């Protein structure tokens, strides 16, 4: 049975216009029951809906903002900001070897913008890097922008498609997004970036270790209040992609795919999130020089092929 996340099912957006689409509660409940997840079906059955059984959009927005606010604790406890800078610092140092002028980081599926706001608050990547968060969920974008204004941060948030912005990204990033893409959509996600003017991407997601679902259960059970957050936290760990899947999907023409701290190079008790990186081939050597000794933990598809022999 497939593992489904409730948050993927209770909101829907027209990919062409960005307009919100109605979601019928009974259809979501039916889909979850078909997937064998009666617990998730009961959570959705309790969500408010109108007389036509369409989920209340305002209630769904409040729920999504609440769950994402709680989810920020996980980012804080995993020191996500410092992990981002550990990789993105050398990536931008390599990019500056060829790029000139204003650089732009675009966070795909930015949610409440924790990553972008953390980078802005710590002035981590330099004044020449514009920080932009993009998400298809208008409510999350609105809350991210409100928080950034309240915190006085130099960053911005956009409601829409991250690959259809008026100004091109120099580097795409994301945190906790990759496991939402299934089948050919995962490779399509990477191809869109390879076909863009971007020079690199860096996407952090859950490491698919045997310990990941257990760790996710312990954290979300103890720290998340709403049943949706607890359910989706564990489901996301179960949906995490393997190292092989990520490197194969990221091998888009014109990009050199690299995985940082794959299985065999990292302690599974310490590894929770790790990035898959794509960089234009001519920038791989500058990236490795910028990373110094840490570059030893950076491997390409040939490493996994060698390990399998």
């Amino acid at each position: 049975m497939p593992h489904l996340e409730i948050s993927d099912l209770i909101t829907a957006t027209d990919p062409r216009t960005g307009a919100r689409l109605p979601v019928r509660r009974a259809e979501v409940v039916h889909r979850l029951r078909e997937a064998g997840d009666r617990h998730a079906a009961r959570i959705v059955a309790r969500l408010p809906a109108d007389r036509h059984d369409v989920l209340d959009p305002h209630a769904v927005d409040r729920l999504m903002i609440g769950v994402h606010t709680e989810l920020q604790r996980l980012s804080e406890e995993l020191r996500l900001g410092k992990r981002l800078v550990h990789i993105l610092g050398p990536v931008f140092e390599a990019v500056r070897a060829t790029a000139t002028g204003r650089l732009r980081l675009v966070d795909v599926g930015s949610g409440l913008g924790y990553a972008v706001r953390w980078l802005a608050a710590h002035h981590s990547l330099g004044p020449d890097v514009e920080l932009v968060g993009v998400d298809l969920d208008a409510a999350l974008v609105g809350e991210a922008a409100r928080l950034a204004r309240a915190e006085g941060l130099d960053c911005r948030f956009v409601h829409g498609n991250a690959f259809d912005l008026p100004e091109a990204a120099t580097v795409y990033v994301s945190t906790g997004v990759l496991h939402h893409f299934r089948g050919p959509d995962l490779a399509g996600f990477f191809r869109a970036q390879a076909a863009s003017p971007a020079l690199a991407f860096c996407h952090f997601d859950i490491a698919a270790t045997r310990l990941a679902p257990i760790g996710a259960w312990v954290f979300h059970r103890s720290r998340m209040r709403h049943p949706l957050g607890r359910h989706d936290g564990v489901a996301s760990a179960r949906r995490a992609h393997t190292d092989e899947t990520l490197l194969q999907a990221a091998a888009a023409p014109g990009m050199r795919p690299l995985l940082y701290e794959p299985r065999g190079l990292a302690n599974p008790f310490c590894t929770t999130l790790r990035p898959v990186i794509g960089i234009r081939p001519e920038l791989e050597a500058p990236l490795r020089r910028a990373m110094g000794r840490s570059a030893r933990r950076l491997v390409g598809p040939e490493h996994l092929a060698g390990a399998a022999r």
Side-chain angles (χ1 to χ4, degrees), residues 200-220:
F201 59 71
C202 178
H203 298 293
F204 278 76
D205 206 1
I206 303 163
T209 67
R210 285 183 294 179
L211 298 174
I214 301 171
W217 186 89
V218 171
F219 176 84
H220 289 86

Side-chain angles (χ1 to χ4, degrees), residues 54-268:
V54 173
L55 287 171
D56 180 346
H58 302 295
V60 169
D61 286 348
R62 289 194 297 272
L63 176 58
M64 293 292 285
I65 290 173
V67 169
H68 277 76
T69 299
E70 288 191 324
L71 194 57
Q72 287 192 157
R73 294 174 185 164
L74 181 60
S75 298
E76 292 164 358
E77 295 192 10
L78 294 179
R79 300 191 306 160
L80 180 60
K82 290 189 175 180
R83 292 183 186 216
L84 281 164
V85 173
H86 178 66
I87 301 296
L88 289 176
V91 166
F92 273 96
E93 188 173 334
V95 163
R96 289 187 182 97
T98 59
T100 58
R102 186 78 161 160
L103 307 177
R104 182 171 297 106
L105 174 145
V106 171
D107 184 6
V108 185
S110 54
L112 293 185
Y114 176 82
V116 165
R117 290 190 288 114
W118 195 96
L119 293 170
H122 292 81
H123 308 287
S124 303
L125 299 179
D128 60 336
V129 180
E130 181 186 10
L131 302 171
V132 184
V134 184
D135 203 293
L136 289 172
D137 190 312
L140 295 180
V141 167
E143 181 66 4
R146 186 191 69 80
L147 291 169
R149 286 195 300 272
E151 295 160 347
L153 299 177
D154 184 15
C155 57
R156 63 188 176 95
F157 293 91
V158 177
H159 172 223
N161 184 342
F163 304 123
D164 193 26
L165 299 175
E167 300 168 309
T170 310
V171 177
Y172 283 106
V173 302
S174 73
T175 55
V177 168
L178 294 180
H179 65 270
H180 291 279
F181 293 103
R182 317 308 299 177
D185 289 344
L186 182 63
F189 174 73
F190 289 114
R191 281 198 304 272
Q193 295 162 85
S196 78
L199 297 178
F201 59 71
C202 178
H203 298 293
F204 278 76
D205 206 1
I206 303 163
T209 67
R210 285 183 294 179
L211 298 174
I214 301 171
W217 186 89
V218 171
F219 176 84
H220 289 86
R221 192 70 189 173
S222 60
R223 306 304 299 275
M224 304 288 279
R225 294 183 177 84
H226 198 279
L228 184 152
R230 294 177 177 177
H231 173 276
D232 281 9
V234 178
S236 63
R238 289 174 172 162
R239 301 176 81 198
H241 297 296
T242 65
D243 295 349
E244 293 81 0
T245 298
L246 286 176
L247 279 176
Q248 288 172 8
M255 279 287 185
R256 164 68 166 158
L258 298 163
L259 196 61
Y260 190 68
E261 293 188 327
R263 289 194 313 273
L265 292 183
N267 183 339

